[in-house]
Amino acid sequence: MYSLNSKIKKVSWLQRLKSFFSESQYRVDNNLNAEFGESLLNEIQQLVCIKNKDGRYVYANLAFSDMVDLPMDSIIGKNDKEIGFFLNPRLVQEADAKVFESGQKKHIPIEPYTDKYGNLYWFQTTKTPLKNKNGEVQEILVISNDITSNLAVQQKLSTSELRYRSIFENNYSGIIVINRDLKITNKNKAFNKLVDLPYARLITDELSNYISKEDQKDLKDLMLGLFARNYEYFDLSLQLNTSSGKILSTLCFVRGLYDQYGNFTEAVVTFQDITTEIESHKELEQSENRFRSIFDNATEGLMLLDFDTKRYIDANNSAEVLFGYSKQELLELRLGDLSPLNQGDGRDSTYLSSDYMQKAVQGEKITYEWIVRRKDGRLVPCEVRLAKLPYKDRTIVRTSIIDITERKKAEHLLNLEKRKLQESNQELIGLNHQLANQTSQLQEFAYISSHNLRSPAGNIRALLDFYNTDASSDNLRLFLEKLDIVSTDLMDTINELALVVKIKNELAPELGNLSLAKLVDKAADSLSEQIKSKKAVITINFDNVHEIQASKTYMDSIFLNLISNALKYSNDDVIPALSISSGVIKDQVVLEFKDNGLGIDLNKFGSKIFGLRKTFHRNKDSNGVGLFITKAQVEAMKGTITVKSTPNVGSTFTIYLPKKMIV
Amino acid sequence: MNPKIAIVDDDTIFQFTTKVKIQKLGLASNIQIFNDGEEIMDYLIKVESIECPDIILLDINMPMMDGWDFLEEYKKHLGGSESKIKIYMLSSSINPVDVDKAKSNKLVDDYIIKPIKDEDLFRIFEKS
């Protein structure tokens, strides 16, 4: 170890130390002793040496010795050239000389140095004159700091600064730097653009120009945390009022900047314009609210079914009312819980609804009528519409349900009305048919009348022609004889027609209580001659119905006609037997006249049997009027008449009259 | 030329007056009377074709077999070779149904509304 006391005599060691420490950053007590001072000098990183007027080293510390890679002892007495490590020893000597001459301390900010391996170092050097009592400079104290690594750091820093500045300047986000008072100390182009400022860069600005007082207060409150370094950054939403009057919604990220002692210096504020996002979010929210409102307030019951889990995931108020379940309860139900086991037509509800759902899931829009079961067990007829909803990852089916109880009632009423209308229509058709029938009958009657009147009239004309061509007495006799026949025929015809007209015109024939037996008796009286001559037998059976309420005139005529026909068209070889009976079939009174007479070939004459002036036998007294009138009379009493007959076996005439005619 | 004529009608007065009229007009001397369709049908089936009438005056409304039924039967039994017989339907009916039905029947030569006039008879005999 080099001893300061022995080697340095001319200058007080203490003085030297004091000089050193006054230059250095170390704070040392004034009362330090030489030994402590020496050891201290060897501990420090700075290169410390003392050179005399001749430029020779009188002291060098351990750091110096390490740097030049020479033992401390061998340095003493050598000059720079001899040590040989400075790049330019001449410049060093000149600088030393100036200090000796001027007696002034000299600071050399940067000095190059290469070690024997060729490594370049940079030093910052202070040269301090050490003076004797007379104030003459004896030696100089040289303290050098190795700033090589500092320089590199500085270099790096400036690169980094450049990089960050570039990021700052060219960033698309608005970035500002603010101080404690929210004064803007720096801002980038993007910020200017954000707040619609001219492109020209205006550094000095105030954030209060752009944000509301409320926002300022919020920001300041949060900044307090940065100042205290409770946190180093935070974010908040700010509304920026641009210079053109727009209001932007921004999300700000604020980071505090601190000095080496940890004191807050500035904050960097980065703005992210989220106006569009906010707007679209608002729109989305509004849209969502709108649909929510429509969904909730829809008059039809709406439910959303998750097809995969077969559970309802949403239900509106109307669905609650319709089913009598609360929404919560509805969401706990499964598909099928809201239906009875079977539908109205007996089909299985579960099977059917699964089928409908499947179709809906395949994109079909389904509408069907459905009976639902309410919580209280009541069954309600509904109309259900299914539609698959576009939904990410899930299969959702919208179910719309409308209570159609009223509609069903109305439909029922409508059906009733429809049926009534159909009945009325049927009745009308019937009436129409009847009317057409009557018209046709009337027309037929007109033709028959005309025919029946024209025949005798034509005959009279022909007889007159006959007599006029030869008015002999013989011919006159013949003429009168023939005219008598024609006139009788004419009278008969006119009487028949008058009778038919009377029957047809009599809308409501006068009714009376008539004993069927008496009706037979009366007719038999009138026909007693024929009965007697033919030995005819008439048997009656009126046990079932013996008295009816009907028109006496008609019934007399009908009985007389049918009994007289039985006698008239009897079989000569057989004793005429006529049986007359009464009965009830369904809602009708039935009167049957069965004979064993000639019969009629119904295949031949069936369609004409009740026609006027239709005769089917060559009897002289058959005139084809009786059955025509009988039929008209039966029909006038709202009845019908039919015939069954076999030639040479007999005929059966059956009259059907309304049951209410029974007394 | 003395055509044979058959009057088929149940009206005796018509039978008498028509027969007399034909005779007086000298149109025919061979006049046969039938009371209904069945009578003449039986006759036509029974006799040789040479004895068949050349002209039939046929009434519509008759008992047993009326004019229409006669035409059906006639067509069925004799409609082929014997169709040379001229058939005239005579009736008091002015019902268009009857008129049309007669005129549309190929066996019927004409429909004449009663009473029959001299001109009708002249026309009938001219054609035969």
Side-chain angles (χ1 to χ4, degrees):
Chain A
M1 174 60 79
Y2 180 79
S3 165
L4 278 176
N5 281 335
S6 60
K7 301 287 175 188
I8 305 165
K9 294 181 178 127
K10 290 180 182 171
V11 182
S12 149
W13 173 240
L14 204 58
Q15 189 194 353
R16 288 176 187 159
L17 277 178
K18 280 180 181 170
S19 300
F20 167 73
F21 287 115
S22 70
E23 298 302 320
S24 79
Q25 58 181 319
Y26 304 106
R27 299 285 177 267
V28 183
D29 195 298
N30 273 342
N31 300 324
L32 52 74
N33 63 39
E35 259 180 56
F36 172 75
E38 189 182 348
S39 68
L40 196 67
L41 283 174
N42 284 329
E43 289 300 314
I44 63 174
Q45 294 298 312
Q46 287 157 310
L47 309 186
V48 181
C49 66
I50 298 170
K51 291 199 268 190
N52 62 16
K53 267 192 171 173
D54 302 329
R56 294 196 181 275
Y57 287 88
V58 294
Y59 171 75
N61 71 348
L62 189 59
F64 191 96
S65 154
D66 287 344
M67 175 58 77
V68 297
D69 200 22
L70 288 170
M72 288 168 78
D73 286 347
S74 67
I75 296 169
I76 305 301
K78 288 190 171 116
N79 60 20
D80 287 332
K81 203 176 176 181
E82 285 162 351
I83 293 171
F85 71 96
F86 288 107
L87 273 182
N88 196 341
R90 193 178 57 80
L91 285 176
V92 177
Q93 280 170 9
E94 275 176 16
D96 289 349
K98 272 186 182 169
V99 177
F100 276 108
E101 278 168 25
S102 65
Q104 298 291 314
K105 186 161 71 174
K106 187 168 173 67
H107 181 72
I108 300 157
I110 186 160
E111 221 176 13
Y113 163 74
T114 35
D115 64 12
K116 62 179 181 183
Y117 306 108
N119 296 321
L120 178 67
Y121 294 88
W122 296 93
F123 285 93
Q124 194 174 58
T125 303
T126 308
K127 299 190 174 188
T128 310
L130 298 173
K131 296 175 182 172
N132 60 16
K133 286 174 189 171
N134 303 324
E136 294 161 347
V137 180
Q138 296 291 306
E139 295 167 340
I140 53 169
L141 172 69
V142 181
I143 302 169
S144 296
N145 278 317
D146 182 353
I147 58 165
T148 314
S149 56
N150 282 1
L151 273 180
V153 169
Q154 227 166 31
Q155 188 76 33
K156 274 185 190 165
L157 263 177
S158 73
T159 309
S160 168
E161 161 90 12
L162 208 63
R163 196 180 296 143
Y164 283 107
R165 177 143 294 279
S166 165
I167 292 169
F168 174 81
E169 286 298 344
N170 299 314
N171 206 298
Y172 287 113
S173 298
I175 305 173
I176 57 172
V177 182
I178 55 170
N179 65 11
R180 280 172 180 274
D181 306 320
L182 305 189
K183 282 207 165 58
I184 297 172
T185 57
N186 207 343
K187 57 182 177 178
N188 69 353
K189 285 181 268 184
F191 180 81
N192 280 347
K193 199 177 170 192
L194 199 63
V195 295
D196 288 334
L197 277 181
Y199 186 72
R201 192 173 164 195
L202 295 166
I203 296 288
T204 51
D205 206 345
E206 306 243 352
L207 189 53
S208 59
N209 288 340
Y210 307 107
I211 61 174
S212 69
K213 282 189 178 161
E214 288 80 14
D215 277 357
Q216 283 177 49
K217 189 177 176 299
D218 289 347
L219 182 60
K220 276 180 179 169
D221 286 347
L222 285 165
M223 293 276 279
L224 291 176
L226 287 189
F227 301 157
R229 216 169 181 179
N230 293 336
Y231 40 82
E232 293 187 353
Y233 55 86
F234 62 85
D235 47 33
L236 83 161
S237 299
L238 284 182
Q239 284 205 324
L240 276 186
N241 304 313
T242 72
S243 58
S244 62
K246 279 193 289 187
I247 297 173
L248 302 179
S249 298
T250 64
L251 190 65
C252 301
F253 178 76
V254 185
R255 168 170 274 288
L257 297 179
Y258 302 90
D259 64 12
Q260 65 216 63
Y261 306 112
N263 297 320
F264 174 86
T265 53
E266 287 173 322
V268 177
V269 186
T270 312
F271 293 90
Q272 191 190 346
D273 182 3
I274 54 165
T275 313
T276 318
E277 285 92 327
I278 294 268
E279 289 299 321
S280 48
H281 181 74
K282 268 185 194 164
E283 268 175 32
L284 210 67
E285 209 168 68
Q286 276 176 353
S287 167
E288 161 82 19
N289 285 342
R290 229 173 3 241
F291 281 108
R292 186 79 240 170
S293 164
I294 291 170
F295 183 83
D296 282 341
N297 300 312
T299 50
E300 58 192 312
L302 290 173
M303 295 175 79
L304 301 184
L305 179 94
D306 185 330
F307 184 74
D308 304 319
T309 63
K310 301 286 187 294
R311 280 186 186 278
Y312 295 103
I313 55 165
D314 206 347
N316 72 349
N317 305 339
S318 296
E320 291 179 286
V321 174
L322 183 66
F323 292 109
Y325 285 102
S326 71
K327 183 176 175 178
Q328 197 53 44
E329 285 171 328
L330 282 174
L331 301 193
E332 282 163 14
L333 296 178
R334 293 176 70 88
L335 178 66
D337 289 344
L338 293 169
S339 307
L341 282 176
N342 299 99
Q343 286 298 301
D345 53 6
R347 287 187 294 174
D348 182 80
S349 294
T350 316
Y351 174 78
L352 213 54
S353 62
S354 301
D355 188 39
Y356 287 139
M357 281 291 168
Q358 198 67 47
K359 282 181 181 161
V361 166
Q362 282 160 5
E364 231 178 286
K365 284 193 174 161
I366 313 278
T367 304
Y368 55 93
E369 287 189 3
W370 194 253
I371 293 174
V372 305
R373 188 181 54 206
R374 284 170 49 87
K375 189 183 180 182
D376 58 17
R378 193 155 61 83
L379 301 179
V380 182
C382 291
E383 185 184 275
V384 180
R385 281 178 293 128
L386 302 180
K388 186 188 174 189
L389 291 188
Y391 218 92
K392 197 174 65 178
D393 303 335
R394 291 163 81 182
T395 310
I396 304 295
V397 177
R398 189 207 62 206
T399 312
S400 315
I401 314 114
I402 307 169
D403 180 349
I404 54 167
T405 310
E406 291 305 316
R407 193 166 88 188
K408 282 276 150 194
K409 277 185 195 164
E411 263 176 22
H412 180 67
L413 284 178
L414 206 68
N415 279 339
L416 278 183
E417 288 300 318
K418 198 173 157 189
R419 209 171 304 149
K420 273 188 197 167
L421 211 65
Q422 275 170 348
E423 281 169 7
S424 307
N425 205 22
Q426 213 55 48
E427 213 170 299
L428 265 175
I429 289 171
L431 282 174
N432 207 16
H433 189 70
Q434 208 174 315
L435 201 68
N437 230 358
Q438 281 179 359
T439 309
S440 136
Q441 278 180 12
L442 203 66
Q443 202 174 29
E444 197 190 357
F445 179 71
Y447 286 126
I448 289 165
S449 309
S450 132
H451 170 269
N452 292 2
L453 290 171
R454 280 177 71 89
S455 294
N459 282 343
I460 291 169
R461 180 72 256 163
L463 284 173
L464 279 171
D465 286 346
F466 156 74
Y467 179 68
N468 285 340
T469 49
D470 185 1
S472 67
S473 58
D474 279 356
N475 275 355
L476 178 63
R477 190 181 44 80
L478 199 58
F479 168 70
L480 290 174
E481 193 182 294
K482 299 284 181 192
L483 193 63
D484 184 41
I485 298 170
V486 175
S487 70
T488 308
D489 187 26
L490 185 60
M491 273 314 289
D492 286 350
T493 300
I494 290 169
N495 286 339
E496 284 157 11
L497 292 176
L499 183 61
V500 172
V501 169
K502 195 182 165 211
I503 296 164
K504 290 281 177 190
N505 280 349
E506 215 163 2
L507 288 173
E510 204 179 309
L511 306 177
N513 290 352
L514 309 172
S515 155
L516 296 175
K518 280 186 182 170
L519 286 170
V520 176
D521 287 347
K522 195 182 175 193
D525 271 355
S526 306
L527 300 164
S528 59
E529 284 296 316
Q530 289 99 307
I531 293 170
K532 204 175 165 185
S533 68
K534 294 203 172 193
K535 296 176 183 167
V537 181
I538 300 175
T539 54
I540 57 170
N541 179 1
F542 296 138
D543 294 346
N544 291 324
V545 180
H546 52 88
E547 200 173 55
I548 60 166
Q549 192 182 49
S551 158
K552 188 171 186 305
T553 321
Y554 288 179
M555 291 309 288
D556 277 341
S557 166
I558 290 165
F559 272 68
L560 183 67
N561 249 319
L562 292 176
I563 295 170
S564 110
N565 274 353
L567 296 169
K568 209 187 286 178
Y569 306 115
S570 62
N571 203 325
D572 289 344
D573 308 333
V574 188
I575 294 171
L578 172 65
S579 74
I580 308 169
S581 62
S582 67
V584 177
I585 296 177
K586 290 184 179 173
D587 53 352
Q588 289 176 311
V589 185
V590 183
L591 301 174
E592 198 176 77
F593 296 76
K594 188 177 179 183
D595 67 43
N596 60 348
L598 293 171
I600 307 158
D601 186 350
L602 292 177
N603 290 328
K604 252 178 166 179
F605 308 118
S607 61
K608 300 165 186 170
I609 197 157
F610 295 106
L612 187 56
R613 284 275 168 182
K614 303 288 181 188
T615 53
F616 316 105
H617 305 92
R618 293 203 183 99
N619 295 33
K620 283 182 181 167
D621 52 354
S622 78
N623 55 17
V625 173
L627 283 177
F628 179 80
I629 288 175
T630 296
K631 184 170 183 270
Q633 288 167 331
V634 170
E635 285 174 354
M637 292 187 292
K638 301 197 187 315
T640 51
I641 181 167
T642 62
V643 62
K644 283 181 191 167
S645 189
T646 311
N648 295 321
V649 175
S651 304
T652 305
F653 286 88
T654 313
I655 294 168
Y656 299 90
L657 292 169
K659 194 180 173 182
K660 63 181 178 185
M661 290 172 88
I662 301 171
V663 176
Chain B
M1 184 77 199
N2 184 14
K4 296 184 283 293
I5 184 160
I7 299 168
V8 187
D9 202 313
D10 60 329
D11 184 344
T12 52
I13 303 297
F14 178 80
Q15 292 169 1
F16 169 75
T17 51
T18 308
K19 186 180 175 182
V20 170
K21 198 186 277 276
I22 293 168
Q23 285 170 338
K24 285 199 173 167
L25 291 171
L27 294 170
S29 56
N30 190 345
I31 304 167
Q32 285 175 289
I33 304 289
F34 299 91
N35 288 303
D36 57 55
E38 206 170 75
E39 275 187 16
I40 188 172
M41 197 65 223
D42 289 345
Y43 174 76
L44 291 177
I45 290 169
K46 210 161 53 190
V47 300
E48 295 292 322
S49 65
I50 191 82
E51 293 175 62
C52 281
D54 301 302
I55 299 163
I56 294 175
L57 302 181
L58 183 67
D59 184 27
I60 294 178
N61 289 303
M62 292 178 289
M64 300 309 291
M65 184 186 286
D66 67 12
W68 305 123
D69 291 336
F70 167 76
L71 289 172
E72 288 281 313
E73 289 295 310
Y74 178 76
K75 188 180 171 187
K76 216 185 287 174
H77 293 103
L78 309 158
S81 56
E82 289 79 7
S83 62
K84 61 178 182 181
I85 302 176
K86 301 231 172 263
I87 300 174
Y88 292 89
M89 292 208 92
L90 280 93
S91 176
S92 298
S93 172
I94 50 165
N95 189 340
V97 176
D98 287 336
V99 178
D100 292 345
K101 193 174 171 185
K103 293 203 165 170
S104 62
N105 191 316
K106 285 179 181 172
L107 297 172
V108 177
D109 282 78
D110 204 357
Y111 180 87
I112 296 162
I113 294 169
K114 287 180 184 173
I116 193 163
K117 294 179 278 295
D118 292 354
E119 306 90 82
D120 295 326
L121 288 170
F122 284 129
R123 202 174 68 244
I124 290 167
F125 283 91
E126 261 170 32
K127 281 187 182 173
S128 63

